[in-house]
Amino acid sequence: RCSWEINRHLFFPYLALLYKKNRNLEYLNLIINLFKDWKNKNRYLNGINWNSTMEVAIREYNWLITTFILKDIKEAYDLCEDLLKGIAFSNKYVVENFSLFSSANNHLILEAAISSLIGVAFKDAFNKDWFKEGNKILSDEIPKQFHKDGVNKEQALHYQGFVTDMMLQYNSVMKKIGEKPIHEDLIKKSVEFIGNLRANRLNVDFGDSDDAKILLIDNYKYNYYDYLLSFGSAYYDEKFIDDINWYDEIMLFIKRKNISKIHNYNEVALYEEGGYAIINSERSSLIFDFGELGFGSLAAHGHADALMFIYSHGNKRFFVDSGTYIYNIKNEKRNFYRGTEAHNTWIYNYKDQSTILGPFLWGKKAEAKLLNKNISKDRVILQAEHYGYSPNIHKRKISYILKKDLFVIEDTFNTKSKLNFILDNEVKIEKVKEHILK
């Protein structure tokens, strides 16, 4: 990963925009020298930077964006010619090595979208219809990888954002060239789900994450979910976020404009297919997870977190989920963040609900389902269960009294076990008396 991250060349478009804005040759020469050095040290199909199709796709995409930025600048003509040659060879590799098996998840979506966009750019240069091939994969895969309610089946928020980001970029280009965008309604539901989670304000996270980006031109430290909600607002002409930030990444695809329509979020959002309930009062936010482990037989990016909950009060995090911020660590650490002990749920005999077989592989999977729902103006009552500790069954009932901003959690388990709470670092707990904390 240490090699792959920097070899995505996310900094190329950033340097290109700096040169275009102030015409300081230092920036252009830096791209030229870096690209020349990269070509010499990474011959076609040789080395670590040619053994992941998605990595090749992200790199060629950043080369393409760089070429787009510099295309009308005379001093950059030779660089653009070299980049286009590199893109042609790279995309040949991508379309011949799509991730159709163990990585037929967010990897395949990115590869198909990028190769299709490159097919648009190269439509008159090659006797290959890269555009149609990638477009068809996206048409087929998006409904396979998203539930109808807009929740991504990987059950990992960052990767839901990653795919949503790619599709917003892709569909923006489709609109410009007069082609039909791919599953706009489903991608809009994905944006709404991220907004319902208040992910931009509360730094919500669950499931795997590696902080990956497709383009990274603006400040490196910007909130990714703020960016996604801003992009979704710009694309759908509807405010999914109070204050839209017009990041440079967005303005590569959509011109700045005034957006008056405001998206109205429901106080209670129930995603029965995706397996999440979200309750947002004026002061608090509660997320309840009763979904599947992850996507497909591998469930590669899922966590053993059935019936976990996340809670924030006054825009301050209280009960939290750490997600996963890194993969290339020792197995015991990787497994800890994926395991049940790192989540706000019930633990039996110090075991995980689902069986970890490898860094991106699961064996026996906990099956969760929603049993009852009762939603009124005054309160929300939800009950779900999972069978990960079969024959023992964990049942969890959450009752939320909306006007009083009060919630009660009732757990049922028929043998001795452990109730787990993960608190934010800033939370302070005091013991009032036996069994009562504040």
Side-chain angles (χ1 to χ4, degrees):
R1 287 212 68 88
C2 292
S3 177
W4 283 351
E5 290 290 337
I6 196 166
N7 281 285
R8 288 177 175 180
H9 290 174
L10 297 175
F11 48 87
F12 272 29
Y14 172 70
L15 291 171
L17 275 177
L18 282 178
Y19 174 69
K20 189 173 183 177
K21 287 176 181 177
N22 59 37
R23 297 305 172 99
N24 184 339
L25 279 170
E26 180 181 356
Y27 300 120
L28 180 61
N29 288 333
L30 187 55
I31 302 173
I32 292 170
N33 293 332
L34 286 169
F35 183 63
K36 187 182 295 184
D37 184 65
W38 190 90
K39 282 195 305 177
N40 290 336
K41 294 176 179 176
N42 295 273
R43 296 294 182 181
Y44 186 57
L45 302 184
N46 287 296
I48 193 173
N49 290 312
W50 291 101
N51 70 357
S52 168
T53 307
M54 186 180 73
E55 298 300 321
V56 175
I58 293 174
R59 181 169 59 245
E60 66 171 342
Y61 189 50
N62 279 275
W63 292 351
L64 181 68
I65 299 297
T66 302
T67 305
F68 173 76
I69 294 168
L70 299 174
K71 65 182 187 304
D72 297 322
I73 298 174
K74 182 180 177 181
E75 293 80 4
Y77 180 83
D78 290 341
L79 171 63
C80 290
E81 284 286 301
D82 286 343
L83 286 170
L84 289 171
K85 290 175 186 175
I87 293 167
F89 281 108
S90 295
N91 211 53
K92 180 178 183 296
Y93 174 88
V94 170
V95 297
E96 290 175 355
N97 295 277
F98 281 131
S99 298
L100 300 175
F101 304 104
S102 63
S103 294
N105 46 27
N106 63 82
H107 287 226
L108 181 57
I109 297 297
L110 260 75
E111 294 158 11
I114 289 170
S115 66
S116 183
L117 291 174
I118 286 169
V120 172
F122 280 74
K123 62 182 179 181
D124 299 322
F126 292 98
N127 188 27
K128 295 181 181 294
D129 209 334
W130 290 336
F131 163 68
K132 283 187 178 178
E133 186 176 0
N135 189 274
K136 185 178 186 311
I137 290 173
L138 293 175
S139 296
D140 294 342
E141 284 295 322
I142 293 298
K144 290 179 184 177
Q145 297 194 28
F146 279 87
H147 292 287
K148 291 179 182 178
D149 56 17
V151 176
N152 187 271
K153 293 181 182 179
E154 293 205 73
Q155 306 293 122
L157 182 58
H158 176 80
Y159 286 111
Q160 169 142 359
F162 197 46
V163 171
T164 302
D165 187 6
M166 186 73 258
M167 293 310 302
L168 288 171
Q169 294 181 38
Y170 185 85
N171 283 340
S172 296
V173 175
M174 293 303 101
K175 280 186 173 182
K176 285 187 177 181
I177 65 174
E179 293 286 345
K180 185 180 179 181
I182 301 290
H183 298 293
E184 279 184 302
D185 291 344
L186 197 49
I187 301 305
K188 185 176 183 179
K189 289 178 181 177
S190 176
V191 174
E192 182 186 52
F193 176 66
I194 293 168
N196 261 320
L197 290 168
R198 296 183 176 178
N200 59 310
R201 284 187 276 168
L202 301 175
N203 295 313
V204 171
D205 203 359
F206 51 78
D208 270 359
S209 170
D210 63 0
D211 293 331
K213 303 290 189 301
I214 303 165
L215 293 172
L216 190 56
I217 299 170
D218 251 301
N219 186 332
Y220 183 80
K221 294 182 179 179
Y222 71 75
N223 183 294
Y224 191 47
Y225 301 114
D226 180 283
Y227 156 78
L228 289 171
L229 293 172
S230 294
F231 203 159
S233 300
Y235 182 87
Y236 291 104
D237 286 322
E238 184 174 346
K239 285 187 175 182
F240 289 94
I241 185 172
D242 293 336
D243 297 312
I244 299 172
N245 287 307
W246 288 90
Y247 296 97
D248 286 337
E249 290 89 342
I250 297 172
M251 294 180 67
L252 282 171
F253 301 93
I254 300 172
K255 290 183 179 179
R256 190 171 188 142
K257 55 188 173 180
N258 291 321
I259 299 171
S260 57
K261 184 179 179 182
I262 297 173
H263 183 82
N264 293 316
Y265 291 103
N266 294 326
E267 190 174 27
V268 181
L270 185 61
Y271 295 86
E272 290 194 55
E273 281 196 30
Y276 292 95
I278 306 169
I279 303 169
N280 287 317
S281 70
E282 289 184 7
R283 290 175 291 171
S284 300
S285 180
L286 177 74
I287 301 162
F288 182 37
D289 174 9
F290 50 88
E292 58 199 343
L293 176 64
F295 178 53
S297 60
L298 298 182
H301 291 302
H303 285 194
D305 59 358
L307 308 194
M308 72 88 174
F309 72 96
I310 302 171
Y311 175 75
S312 298
H313 181 77
N315 283 332
K316 291 184 178 180
R317 305 195 315 162
F318 197 95
F319 296 108
V320 299
D321 189 309
S322 65
T324 296
Y325 71 99
I326 194 170
Y327 299 149
N328 53 328
I329 51 178
K330 291 182 179 179
N331 284 341
E332 56 266 28
K333 274 289 185 183
R334 168 77 175 127
N335 291 343
F336 172 78
Y337 286 111
R338 302 163 73 205
T340 305
E341 193 175 352
H343 302 91
N344 296 301
T345 189
W346 203 271
I347 303 173
Y348 172 59
N349 206 20
Y350 297 96
K351 293 180 180 178
D352 294 317
Q353 304 162 341
S354 298
T355 306
I356 296 173
L357 295 182
F360 299 96
L361 181 63
W362 295 87
K364 179 183 71 69
K365 302 178 181 68
E367 295 181 14
K369 67 177 181 180
L370 183 66
L371 298 174
N372 297 301
K373 59 179 179 180
N374 187 345
I375 301 172
S376 66
K377 288 184 179 180
D378 299 324
R379 67 186 62 206
V380 178
I381 300 174
L382 302 165
Q383 187 177 35
E385 67 181 16
H386 80 80
Y387 311 92
Y389 297 128
S390 182
N392 299 306
I393 298 173
H394 175 207
K395 292 185 179 182
R396 171 163 279 180
K397 180 181 177 182
I398 293 184
S399 304
Y400 202 117
I401 303 170
L402 296 168
K403 289 183 178 179
K404 294 187 177 180
D405 203 20
L406 172 71
F407 73 99
V408 177
I409 296 178
E410 300 172 65
D411 288 291
T412 305
F413 199 76
N414 62 1
T415 189
K416 187 177 180 180
S417 50
K418 175 184 173 184
L419 182 57
N420 204 44
F421 293 122
I422 309 296
L423 304 178
D424 187 83
N425 287 337
E426 295 185 5
V427 172
K428 299 291 188 292
I429 296 293
E430 296 178 13
K431 184 175 180 180
V432 178
K433 57 183 179 179
E434 192 69 20
H435 306 305
I436 298 179
L437 304 175
K438 73 172 183 177

